[in-house]
Amino acid sequence: MNKIKFLVFLGIIVTFAAKAQNNFGIDYFHIKEYAIAKKYFEQQYAQNPTKLNYYLGEISFAQGKTDEAKSYYTKGLAANPEDPFNAIGLAKIELKNNSTAAEASFTSIQKRNPNNIDVKLAIGYAYLDNGLSDKAKDKVSEAQKIDKNNPMVYILAGDIYNAAKNVGEAVRNYEMAIYFDKNFPLSYIKEAEIYEHSINWKEAVDKLNTIIKIHPDYIIAYRTLGRLYATNREYESAIEAFKTYFASGNATLDDITQYVIALYFAKQYDGVNQQIQQGLTLDPSHFVLNRLQFYTATNLNDTVNSIKYAQHFFTLRNGSANDYIAKDYAMYANALKTAQMYDEAIAQYKKAIAIDSNNEELYKDMSTVIASTGQYGYAGDVYKKYIEKAEGKATIADYNQLGKFYYTAGSLRNAADTALLLAWQHNDELLNEIAHSSQQKDSLLKDKYYFLTKAVAYYLHGADSAFAVVVENLPKIYTGYLWRARVNAALDPKSEMGLAKPYYEKVIEIQEGKEPSPTTNSTLIEANGYLGYFYLVKDDRPNARLYYGKVLVLDPKNANATNALNALK
C-alpha cells in the first residue's frame, strides 16, 4: 500500500472510530443500558444543552419517570425553541392523555422539517414507546421514502416487530440494516441480542466477530459476545470477551453477574471472588452474587466463610422459601457436613428434597451424613430411596452399600447401638414398615424389647435382600455370599436353623484353592469357623472336627478352633 492510500485508509478508520465513539451513548440507550448511556450523553453533549436534555428526557421516559422526562424536554426547548426533538418528547408524553394535541404537535413538527428522516424516526419511536405499533410502522414507510438506505429505518422496524414478539420479522429488518450499511454496529448488536437464547446463537457470534474486525474498539460488541457465550455455556470464550469489555469501565451490575457466572462455571474462583466484591459494593443484597459467593466458598472448602455466607444468603428476599432452589440447601448441607455439623446438614438436605424430590443424589448424600451420626437404619432407608429414585441406574456397589447400612443397623453390638435404635421407637414411618397391623403397632410402641426384635429383623431382612441383588449379578464373586452369610447368621444367632450355612459353603467353594492372601484366609477362617460351630451345635462331631481343623490349618493359633477341638476330645 503506497503512502497516499495508507493515509486515506487511516483517515477512514479514525473517522469511523470517532463516529462509533460518539454513538456509544445512543447504542447503549437502544440496548436499555440507561446509566451508561447517560454517562456518555453527559460527556458528549455537556456544551449542548438542547441535545443533552433531549437524550436525558428519553432515558427518563424509558424508565417510566414521566415528570422528570418532561422537565428535561422543557429545558431542551428553552435552550433552543426550534428544536424538533424535545418538542417530539413533550408530545410523546401527551399521547396517552391528550392524543389529539400530541398528533397536532407531530404534524406541525413534520411540516417544519419535511425531509428530516431523524424527525420521522423520533416520532416513530414516540408511537412505539406508547404501544402504537401501527402508527410507528407508518413512520417507517415515510422514512423509507426519504432515505431507504438509512440503517436506522430498519432498526426502528426491527424494534417494532421485536416488541410484538415477531422474531422472524425483527431479524429480517436488522439484517436489512446490515445490508444497507455493513459498518453500522447497532444492527449487529440488535440481531445478536435476539439470538442470545436461540439455536442460532452462533450466527450472532459470527455477526459480532464481523463488526469487531471492522471496528475492534466497539466495546459493546464484546459485552454482547460475552453474554452470548455465557448464556450458551461457552464459559472460557465468555471470559475472554468480558475481560476486554470490562477494561472499558462500563460494566453494569448485570454485566458483573454474567461475568461471575462464567468465571464460576469455569472454576476460576479467584476471579469470581474479585468480581463478586465489586458487584456487592453496588448492591450488597444481590441475590445471585450472594449465592455464588456462598457456593464458591463451599467449593474451596472455606467452611467458616461458606457457613457465614450461607446464613446471610438465606436472609435475603425476606427469607421466602420460594426464592431458593434445592441446590442452595444442598450446598449449605455440604458445608455443614464438612464442619461435622451433621444434624444441621440433615435438616438442610430435607429442605432440598422437599423442593426436588426426584433428585436421587440428594438422598445418597443425605444418607452418608446420616451414617456419620451412627443412625445406620435411617441411613439405609434414605439410601433405599436413592436406589428407587435412580430408576435402574443404581450399581451393584449401591446395593452392597445399602446392605451394609442395614446389616450394621441390625447388629446391636453395644448399649450405644441399642440406644440409637430405641430412639426410633416412636417414628411412624419406621413403625409402619415393621408393623403388619394396628394392633402390632401398639405393641411396638409399648414394648421396647418387642420393638428392638422387630426392628432388628426388619433391617437384617433388608440387608439380605440387598446382598441377594449382589449375588444375582456377581454369582462367581464371594462377596455377596459372605455378606448374606453374615446377615443370616445374625438372624439365626444360635445357628439352630443353619440359615447362614449355604452361603458360607458357597464362600468356601469360591475361595478354596485360590492363592493365599490375608483376604482369602480371613474369609475361609470365618466360613469354616461358622460351619464348625454349626456342626458342633448339631452334635455332628466328625464334621465339627473337619471344619475346625481347616481353621487351624489357616490359623494355627486360632483360639476358638483350638478350644472347640479340645472340647471335642
Side-chain angles (χ1 to χ4, degrees):
M1 183 182 293
N2 62 42
K3 186 175 181 180
I4 294 174
K5 285 183 178 179
F6 175 76
L7 290 173
V8 171
F9 172 76
L10 183 62
I12 292 171
I13 292 296
V14 170
T15 301
F16 179 77
K19 184 178 178 182
Q21 182 72 20
N22 288 334
N23 283 337
F24 274 159
I26 295 170
D27 290 1
Y28 273 117
F29 173 78
H30 275 289
I31 61 173
K32 297 181 171 55
E33 290 294 356
Y34 302 124
I36 305 176
K38 184 176 182 179
K39 181 182 76 172
Y40 275 97
F41 290 143
E42 288 173 342
Q43 291 171 350
Q44 293 166 8
Y45 304 117
Q47 306 304 319
N48 187 340
T50 302
K51 273 192 174 182
L52 176 60
N53 281 291
Y54 169 66
Y55 284 124
L56 295 181
E58 288 292 278
I59 290 171
S60 295
F61 187 91
Q63 293 174 325
K65 303 173 183 177
T66 309
D67 292 340
E68 187 176 276
K70 186 175 182 178
S71 175
Y72 281 127
Y73 296 139
T74 302
K75 288 177 186 176
L77 279 176
N80 180 7
E82 299 301 317
D83 179 66
F85 300 104
N86 283 292
I88 291 169
L90 288 174
K92 173 165 67 173
I93 293 173
E94 290 297 314
L95 262 178
K96 286 185 179 178
N97 301 321
N98 190 345
S99 60
T100 303
E103 293 288 2
S105 294
F106 289 151
T107 301
S108 175
I109 293 166
Q110 289 175 99
K111 282 183 180 178
R112 296 197 303 272
N113 303 273
N115 294 312
N116 189 326
I117 193 169
D118 292 330
V119 166
K120 297 286 186 186
L121 295 173
I123 294 173
Y125 273 110
Y127 284 129
L128 178 59
D129 292 344
N130 281 282
L132 302 170
S133 58
D134 288 338
K135 288 182 177 288
K137 287 178 184 177
D138 291 340
K139 295 303 156 188
V140 170
S141 299
E142 292 174 20
Q144 284 176 321
K145 291 176 183 177
I146 297 171
D147 183 3
K148 69 175 183 179
N149 297 333
N150 189 312
M152 275 307 299
V153 174
Y154 303 98
I155 295 293
L156 171 56
D159 288 350
I160 293 168
Y161 285 111
N162 198 16
K165 308 297 182 186
N166 188 338
V167 173
E169 280 300 308
V171 169
R172 188 182 71 80
N173 277 281
Y174 296 144
E175 282 283 354
M176 289 293 290
I178 294 171
Y179 173 77
F180 284 113
D181 188 349
K182 290 181 172 57
N183 295 334
F184 192 68
L186 184 59
S187 312
Y188 297 87
I189 302 300
K190 286 283 187 178
E191 186 175 348
E193 287 195 332
I194 284 183
Y195 281 136
E196 185 173 349
H197 298 282
S198 77
I199 59 173
N200 298 320
W201 70 275
K202 289 188 177 179
E203 290 184 25
V205 168
D206 292 339
K207 297 283 185 187
L208 291 168
N209 283 326
T210 298
I211 196 61
I212 286 171
K213 284 180 182 177
I214 297 169
H215 181 40
D217 296 328
Y218 187 68
I219 53 174
I220 300 175
Y222 295 99
R223 169 192 181 272
T224 310
L225 195 60
R227 286 169 173 258
L228 277 168
Y229 279 127
T231 301
N232 292 281
R233 302 181 182 182
E234 297 277 351
Y235 299 118
E236 298 289 347
S237 298
I239 290 166
E240 289 306 308
F242 279 133
K243 280 181 181 176
T244 303
Y245 179 68
F246 272 56
S248 72
N250 287 339
T252 65
L253 184 60
D254 191 40
D255 296 327
I256 292 171
T257 304
Q258 293 286 335
Y259 191 16
V260 166
I261 290 170
L263 289 165
Y264 175 80
F265 284 106
K267 298 183 179 180
Q268 296 187 23
Y269 297 128
D270 289 342
V272 170
N273 284 325
Q274 180 182 349
Q275 293 301 324
I276 282 176
Q277 294 310 312
Q278 183 179 344
L280 291 180
T281 301
L282 299 173
D283 181 4
S285 297
H286 194 280
F287 197 70
V288 174
L289 292 180
N290 274 284
R291 169 183 280 151
L292 292 178
Q293 183 181 46
F294 141 50
Y295 280 18
T296 300
T298 305
N299 289 334
L300 291 172
N301 292 319
D302 183 0
T303 307
V304 173
N305 278 323
S306 178
I307 293 172
K308 181 179 78 172
Y309 295 148
Q311 289 171 343
H312 173 66
F313 172 67
F314 285 112
T315 66
L316 303 176
R317 304 282 179 91
N318 298 319
S320 172
N322 293 333
D323 291 324
Y324 302 103
I325 59 176
K327 189 174 181 180
D328 295 334
Y329 296 109
M331 290 290 278
Y332 189 22
N334 188 47
L336 292 165
K337 176 182 68 176
T338 304
Q340 298 184 1
M341 299 168 68
Y342 299 125
D343 290 337
E344 293 87 344
I346 292 166
Q348 297 305 316
Y349 277 123
K350 286 180 178 178
K351 291 179 182 179
I353 288 170
I355 295 173
D356 187 3
S357 61
N358 291 319
N359 185 340
E360 68 268 15
E361 292 301 321
L362 292 175
Y363 295 94
K364 188 175 185 179
D365 293 341
M366 181 179 171
S367 67
T368 304
V369 177
I370 294 168
S372 298
T373 69
Q375 300 175 85
Y376 295 103
Y378 183 20
D381 287 340
V382 174
Y383 206 87
K384 185 179 179 182
K385 287 181 182 177
Y386 152 68
I387 291 174
E388 291 168 357
K389 297 289 182 180
E391 295 181 346
K393 293 184 289 185
T395 65
I396 300 307
D398 289 327
Y399 282 97
N400 195 55
Q401 181 62 72
L402 174 62
K404 288 181 179 179
F405 279 149
Y406 275 148
Y407 173 73
T408 307
S411 304
L412 302 184
R413 297 154 297 181
N414 51 46
D417 287 346
T418 303
L420 275 172
L421 187 51
L422 277 174
W424 287 82
Q425 186 176 6
H426 297 277
N427 182 275
D428 277 340
E429 194 171 344
L430 178 58
L431 290 174
N432 290 333
E433 288 285 342
I434 297 172
H436 299 293
S437 66
S438 58
Q439 185 178 0
Q440 191 179 51
K441 188 174 180 180
D442 288 340
S443 299
L444 290 166
L445 285 166
K446 293 174 183 176
D447 188 338
K448 67 179 181 181
Y449 298 107
Y450 183 57
F451 167 77
L452 286 172
T453 302
K454 284 291 184 180
V456 165
Y458 164 73
Y459 288 133
L460 291 176
H461 283 299
D464 193 48
S465 297
F467 291 129
V469 175
V470 177
V471 167
E472 182 182 353
N473 286 273
L474 300 172
K476 295 182 180 181
I477 306 297
Y478 79 93
T479 311
Y481 298 105
L482 179 63
W483 280 104
R484 288 203 76 181
R486 290 169 176 170
V487 171
N488 281 277
L491 284 166
D492 178 23
K494 294 182 179 179
S495 300
E496 293 174 334
M497 295 179 284
L499 296 181
K501 180 175 177 289
Y503 305 113
Y504 275 126
E505 287 175 339
K506 195 68 179 177
V507 170
I508 292 170
E509 177 187 323
I510 293 171
Q511 292 292 83
E512 263 189 341
K514 282 188 177 180
E515 191 71 28
S517 71
T519 300
T520 302
N521 289 352
S522 67
T523 54
L524 286 172
I525 289 167
E526 181 181 337
N528 283 295
Y530 171 84
L531 291 171
Y533 180 73
F534 169 75
Y535 285 114
L536 184 63
V537 170
K538 294 296 182 184
D539 200 27
D540 184 342
R541 291 174 175 246
N543 275 319
R545 290 192 185 94
L546 171 66
Y547 287 104
Y548 277 130
K550 289 183 177 183
V551 171
L552 287 178
V553 170
L554 295 163
D555 179 13
K557 296 182 180 180
N558 189 282
N560 287 336
T562 301
N563 292 336
L565 288 172
N566 286 336
L568 286 167
K569 292 178 182 179

